[in-house]
Amino acid sequence: MKEKSKSKKRKIINLILIALGVAIASSLGVLFGVFLSYQKGLPKIKNLEDIKPSVVSEVYSDDGRVIGRYFLEKRIILSSKEIPDVVKNAFIAVEDSRFYKHWGVDFYRIMGAIIRNLKHKRIVQGASTITMQLARSLFLTQERTLRRKIQETLLALQIERQYTKEQILTYYLNQIYLGYGNYGVEAAAEFYFGKRAKDLSIDEAALLAGINSSVGRYSPITHPDRAIKRRNFAIKRMFEEGFISKKEYEENIKKPLHIVKKDPYKTNDYIAYFLEEVRKYISKHYGNKVLYQSGLKVYTTVNIEYQKIAYKAVQNGLRAHDKRKGWRYDKENIIAEGKDIETFSLKEWKIPPKKDWITKGVVLSVTRKKAKIKVGDYTAILALKDALWTKKKSLRALIKKGDIIEVKILNINEDKKELTVSLEQEPLTEGALLAIDPHTGEIKAMIGGYSFRRSEFNNAIQARRQPGSTIKPIIYSAALSNGYTPASTFIDEPVTFNNKWTGFQDWSPLNFDEQYRGLCTLRRGIEESRNVITAKLLEAITPELAIKYARRFGITSQLQPYLSLSLGTLEVSLLEMTSAFSVFPNNGIRIKPYFIKKIIDMNGNILYENKMEVNEVISPQVAYQMCSLLHGVVLRGTARKARVLNRTLGGKTGTTDDFTDAWFIGFSPSLTAGVWVGYSIKKSLGYYETGARAALPIWMEFMGKVLKNKPDEKFPVPPNINFVKIDYMTGLLATPICKYVIDEAFIAGTEPQRFCTEEDHLMVNDYYTHGASSHEE
């Protein structure tokens, strides 16, 4: 009986074992089928390095500083050697402490996470390794499903088979999202701390590792208290894993949060126009995908210091012009709009005020001599004496409670939260400044308008305006190249040209001051910008010849062969005119202006490298004569205000009819700069707002600061130039009767042969007094 009983039990056990085996086999088969199902469609991890994440394209100034970036995802790729151990250790301690021990999936951690989550009846711990997180970010979505988790596991196993731990960690630290559009530890380090990843301290590396799990929840910008707790958790984990000492742990958890203050509304307005031209060029020639995702390195010609000086000069010049126009009663009033002053806020107020900043404020109260203005958490005091430019005797005549006005911060009292301010007003005028190295063609500064935030239209490149008298040096260059000298003379007198020369009707040009000088040399003609002299000169050399030279100087506009060309009736860009003037200090050579030196892709391949386009426009001798003539414009002529710079400079003013456009283009021996001022639409700048008044001060501020502390340069004298003492008024060889004698530059063999006499002086109007004439343009 016992044997039968044992046999029966054995059979039952065997049946159970068989059934269990079948069940296990079936389960394994099903599980294998499931894995095959989830494996289907997954990428084969063979060349992870071929996966090209979106990488920031960087733009560099002429001295190698980063001045701008283009990106969809702000990511700066680092090699393993460029990522410091403190960063690697921080992320390993927080995200995957057994990173170097598992093979992509940490089963110990999975079991621990299951137990903890069951105990708390909710998910309190994840089990994804660094490799699994990398697989997810590269190939999968963020959805929380069993299918995605299985796929993530399978991909992690593939990655571990193909790559070393160091490679995986490097890919991971370049890939992760760390908030505010920043991908990877390098971009995040720059954003949060204003430094490179290699320079991060323990507490800074711990913060990045800590916020990684949920940037929105632990953001150091919006949730600093949570960020500190999370950072300290990361520091603790680093200590527990043996990455830092107890002393380092205790020191770092006590540190305050040091985050670079970010103004989400602030842009680099001073260089925005230049960067936009770079962006448009790359987008046009290589496409947006290459521009925004391919990690280009774009080396440009811009000089950061020059650019900042130019930006400030244009801002100051346009504000000065606007103040001459007077106060405008066009200010927004929040009370009239039904808004509450106490709760009202402006985006500018998010950043603490700084001295000399111009910001907006809301008028709280106003008396005749004093107004109180809300500027964020500060109360600003505006005194009548700080609004004198308005020419009003009472502040009540200017502003009222609720007005939003602009003020400039003069002083700050932090204890009382008080500001002392002066009254400002955003100008309606536009302006542009362009600076070119005449010897290389490099654009060193470019300002396209008052503010890129207000208008993206680039007045330095895109706008085409009448240049007024700034066209005259091109006509004079043509004349000097064809037998004329600075001492050649014409009669400055009323004159009428018939329609043969005008193309439509008889034309009588007027001088700016509507006066006439009689006998006049070409030097006086250009220094005083005598319109009649230039018109007669153009008639003598023919408009066709002048157009030929204009083309040589780089003028591409449509040109008509009429005498009105002498007054700048064509339309040109500031870039064209500034480039044209660069011929004079460069010995008659024009180098086509450019702003990009070289473009390199992320693999080090050169996509583009500028090749200078060099053209001889005029001879070195004529170029020197023009430098001398235009230097005279600064010494004695329409730009004599610039004498205060005490530099060897040359240039020419320009003003169009009804004062709609104001120009000044000038140069030192090493830098050429042009300035234009006007409205975005054809409109008068105001009576007597000439090139000398509206544009020249901007140019002077720019050149004065750029050349400060640099030795004065002289225009180099080429061979075959002879200096002869001549009478300034008649252009003849000087004699003792001549009151004003100058050393004039002549090409050898073209010097005057006759001495000046009393009769010659009678040809000059006797009312002319050197340096005291009314000419200004």
Side-chain angles (χ1 to χ4, degrees):
M1 291 291 293
K2 289 182 178 180
E3 288 181 3
K4 287 182 178 181
S5 177
K6 288 181 179 179
S7 177
K8 189 176 181 180
K9 287 181 178 179
R10 195 177 293 117
K11 287 180 179 180
I12 293 171
I13 291 172
N14 288 337
L15 289 170
I16 292 172
L17 290 173
I18 291 169
L20 187 60
V22 171
I24 291 172
S26 300
S27 298
L28 289 173
V30 171
L31 187 60
F32 183 68
V34 170
F35 271 80
L36 285 178
S37 173
Y38 286 124
Q39 182 78 21
K40 187 177 181 181
L42 288 179
K44 297 295 182 183
I45 310 300
K46 291 183 178 179
N47 295 302
L48 201 61
E49 59 271 20
D50 289 341
I51 298 172
K52 302 297 184 185
S54 177
V55 181
V56 169
S57 290
E58 294 184 318
V59 185
Y60 298 87
S61 63
D62 63 354
D63 61 354
R65 284 183 280 177
V66 176
I67 56 174
R69 294 188 171 97
Y70 309 111
F71 55 86
L72 297 179
E73 298 176 352
K74 188 178 179 184
R75 178 186 285 105
I76 303 169
I77 298 295
L78 298 179
S79 67
S80 179
K81 292 181 180 180
E82 292 174 312
I83 303 175
D85 288 341
V86 67
V87 173
K88 295 177 181 178
N89 293 339
F91 278 88
I92 288 172
V94 173
E95 296 293 340
D96 191 356
S97 60
R98 286 171 43 81
F99 174 67
Y100 290 107
K101 298 176 182 178
H102 62 68
W103 33 278
V105 181
D106 190 348
F107 291 105
Y108 289 100
R109 188 175 180 185
I110 290 173
M111 294 303 298
I114 291 173
I115 293 170
R116 286 200 67 193
N117 293 338
L118 287 174
K119 182 178 178 181
H120 289 84
K121 297 181 180 181
R122 61 187 178 88
I123 297 176
V124 295
Q125 178 181 328
S128 292
T129 63
I130 281 176
T131 314
M132 293 169 71
Q133 292 180 48
L134 177 62
R136 182 198 315 151
S137 66
L138 288 176
F139 304 111
L140 303 173
T141 67
Q142 297 295 320
E143 62 175 344
R144 292 190 173 188
T145 63
L146 178 62
R147 178 182 179 85
R148 193 219 70 190
K149 203 68 179 177
I150 293 173
Q151 291 179 325
E152 184 180 298
T153 302
L154 294 173
L155 288 169
L157 294 174
Q158 285 191 58
I159 291 172
E160 289 276 348
R161 285 200 302 269
Q162 296 288 332
Y163 296 93
T164 66
K165 289 290 187 181
E166 208 60 31
Q167 287 174 314
I168 293 169
L169 185 58
T170 302
Y171 283 128
Y172 173 76
L173 293 175
N174 281 316
Q175 181 69 23
I176 52 176
Y177 179 64
L178 290 167
Y180 301 94
N182 296 283
Y183 290 79
V185 293
E186 179 76 347
E190 184 181 272
F191 179 80
Y192 291 114
F193 308 113
K195 60 175 67 174
R196 301 284 304 276
K198 66 182 179 65
D199 299 319
L200 292 179
S201 58
I202 291 173
D203 61 305
E204 291 167 341
L207 177 67
L208 296 185
I211 68 174
N212 180 39
S213 62
S214 179
V215 180
R217 178 175 176 77
Y218 301 121
S219 167
I221 294 175
T222 56
H223 304 293
D225 293 338
R226 294 180 191 172
I228 288 178
K229 289 179 181 179
R230 188 64 183 169
R231 180 203 67 180
N232 290 348
F233 165 76
I235 294 171
K236 182 181 178 183
R237 289 292 300 125
M238 293 176 74
F239 169 64
E240 291 171 346
E241 293 299 324
F243 293 133
I244 60 174
S245 66
K246 185 175 182 180
K247 180 181 179 183
E248 288 173 320
Y249 163 70
E250 292 173 346
E251 288 176 350
N252 281 278
I253 61 171
K254 295 176 183 177
K255 288 184 178 180
L257 199 61
H258 288 297
I259 300 297
V260 176
K261 287 185 177 179
K262 294 289 176 182
D263 179 0
Y265 305 99
K266 185 179 180 181
T267 61
N268 289 331
D269 199 43
Y270 79 96
I271 202 164
Y273 285 104
F274 184 85
L275 291 176
E276 177 63 5
E277 290 305 311
V278 173
R279 185 200 67 78
K280 288 191 296 187
Y281 180 89
I282 299 173
S283 178
K284 177 182 177 181
H285 291 86
Y286 302 100
N288 283 334
K289 184 174 181 181
V290 172
L291 171 64
Y292 290 108
Q293 301 182 44
S294 298
L296 302 178
K297 292 187 181 299
V298 185
Y299 296 92
T300 74
T301 62
V302 73
N303 181 293
I304 288 297
E305 280 66 40
Y306 289 10
Q307 185 72 20
K308 290 179 179 179
I309 292 169
Y311 177 76
K312 196 67 176 176
V314 171
Q315 292 263 316
N316 290 341
L318 297 185
R319 285 184 176 276
H321 167 264
D322 188 74
K323 287 177 180 178
R324 292 195 294 272
K325 298 279 286 182
W327 180 254
R328 299 190 309 271
Y329 296 92
D330 57 355
K331 309 304 180 279
E332 180 184 356
N333 187 282
I334 65 171
I335 294 177
E337 295 175 356
K339 298 175 183 176
D340 180 38
I341 288 182
E342 296 301 320
T343 59
F344 183 77
S345 181
L346 290 168
K347 61 185 180 181
E348 290 93 336
W349 298 347
K350 293 181 181 292
I351 299 299
K354 292 183 180 180
K355 188 177 179 181
D356 295 328
W357 272 15
I358 293 176
T359 188
K360 290 182 179 179
V362 177
V363 178
L364 298 174
S365 63
V366 57
T367 64
R368 189 176 76 85
K369 291 188 176 182
K370 187 171 75 171
K372 290 186 177 181
I373 299 154
K374 177 182 179 180
V375 181
D377 296 330
Y378 295 76
T379 299
I381 305 301
L382 171 66
L384 179 61
K385 66 180 180 64
D386 293 313
L388 291 179
W389 62 268
T390 64
K391 300 179 182 179
K392 300 294 182 183
K393 296 181 179 180
S394 171
L395 290 176
R396 286 177 175 167
L398 297 169
I399 56 178
K400 59 182 179 296
K401 184 177 180 180
D403 280 352
I404 298 178
I405 61 173
E406 273 196 347
V407 293
K408 182 178 182 179
I409 299 170
L410 304 178
N411 285 297
I412 303 174
N413 187 323
E414 286 291 353
D415 295 333
K416 295 182 179 180
K417 290 288 182 180
E418 283 188 356
L419 309 174
T420 304
V421 299
S422 61
L423 187 62
E424 288 289 333
Q425 179 174 251
E426 181 176 315
L428 299 179
T429 41
E430 289 291 348
L433 186 151
L434 198 76
I436 298 174
D437 182 332
H439 307 298
T440 65
E442 294 183 0
I443 294 176
K444 310 308 292 185
M446 178 195 294
I447 304 297
Y450 172 76
S451 170
F452 188 79
R453 290 191 293 267
R454 184 170 83 178
S455 171
E456 296 181 11
F457 185 78
N458 191 334
N459 289 287
I461 304 292
Q462 296 172 280
R464 306 192 74 81
R465 316 279 182 174
Q466 290 191 359
S469 292
T470 58
I471 198 67
K472 291 176 181 177
I474 294 177
I475 298 170
Y476 274 65
S477 296
L480 294 178
S481 300
N482 287 274
Y484 288 86
T485 76
S488 297
T489 57
F490 288 87
I491 302 297
D492 183 16
E493 61 186 350
V495 62
T496 298
F497 299 98
N498 62 37
N499 58 12
K500 169 190 173 184
W501 293 107
T502 64
F504 49 94
Q505 60 185 15
D506 292 350
W507 176 57
S508 300
L510 294 174
N511 291 318
F512 179 79
D513 58 7
E514 299 185 6
Q515 297 181 27
Y516 303 94
R517 303 293 188 220
L519 184 69
C520 199
T521 62
L522 290 189
R523 172 173 289 281
R524 277 184 59 202
I526 198 166
E527 287 183 1
E528 299 177 24
S529 200
R530 311 305 293 174
N531 293 337
V532 170
I533 299 299
T534 310
K536 285 189 172 185
L537 179 63
L538 183 58
E539 179 188 33
I541 67 171
T542 76
E544 288 79 7
L545 181 65
I547 290 173
K548 178 182 176 182
Y549 274 84
R551 298 296 183 220
R552 289 187 183 181
F553 275 91
I555 304 301
T556 61
S557 306
Q558 183 178 357
L559 302 175
Q560 298 295 333
Y562 302 134
L563 293 186
S564 57
L565 183 67
S566 65
L567 303 188
T569 54
L570 67 159
E571 291 190 336
V572 293
S573 70
L574 179 62
L575 175 62
E576 284 180 310
M577 292 305 298
T578 307
S579 175
F581 272 62
S582 73
V583 168
F584 304 131
N586 195 36
N587 296 310
I589 303 296
R590 177 179 176 267
I591 301 176
K592 185 178 179 180
Y594 65 99
F595 52 88
I596 296 177
K597 294 180 180 178
K598 185 164 55 177
I599 302 174
I600 299 176
D601 69 17
M602 64 188 301
N603 297 316
N605 300 313
I606 297 176
L607 298 184
Y608 166 83
E609 190 165 15
N610 181 73
K611 292 180 174 58
M612 287 199 303
E613 295 184 30
V614 181
N615 294 286
E616 183 176 354
V617 179
I618 52 179
S619 70
Q621 291 75 25
V622 171
Y624 179 78
Q625 287 182 310
M626 288 306 305
C627 287
S628 176
L629 289 175
L630 295 175
H631 182 48
V633 174
V634 173
L635 289 178
R636 296 173 290 270
T638 58
R640 58 190 178 277
K641 290 178 183 175
R643 282 185 301 186
V644 298
L645 296 179
N646 196 28
R647 292 276 176 172
T648 302
L649 303 168
K652 185 69 189 77
T653 52
T655 308
T656 59
D657 288 347
D658 200 29
F659 306 101
T660 57
D661 300 277
W663 297 73
F664 186 79
I665 305 174
F667 49 85
S668 72
S670 59
L671 189 67
T672 304
V675 173
W676 167 85
V677 175
Y679 286 99
S680 56
I681 59 173
K682 192 174 180 65
K683 176 183 174 182
S684 176
L685 288 166
Y687 179 69
Y688 224 68
E689 290 294 340
T690 62
R693 194 179 194 200
L696 178 59
I698 296 174
W699 187 89
M700 289 173 58
E701 180 178 342
F702 172 73
M703 291 295 279
K705 290 181 178 179
V706 163
L707 298 176
K708 187 178 181 180
N709 300 324
K710 293 182 180 180
D712 186 32
E713 303 172 272
K714 303 298 181 183
F715 298 117
V717 182
N720 297 321
I721 285 289
N722 293 333
F723 291 94
V724 178
K725 292 187 180 300
I726 66 165
D727 176 55
Y728 178 78
M729 307 303 290
T730 65
L732 298 173
L733 295 174
T735 63
I737 65 169
C738 300
K739 296 180 180 179
Y740 188 33
V741 177
I742 64 170
D743 286 324
E744 188 61 270
F746 294 92
I747 298 174
T750 67
E751 303 89 339
Q753 300 299 309
R754 190 165 70 83
F755 286 94
C756 181
T757 66
E758 290 283 1
E759 289 75 15
D760 295 315
H761 273 281
L762 295 177
M763 294 289 293
V764 183
N765 285 359
D766 59 6
Y767 61 77
Y768 175 79
T769 303
H770 168 66
S773 66
S774 61
H775 63 269
E776 180 173 350
E777 185 184 312

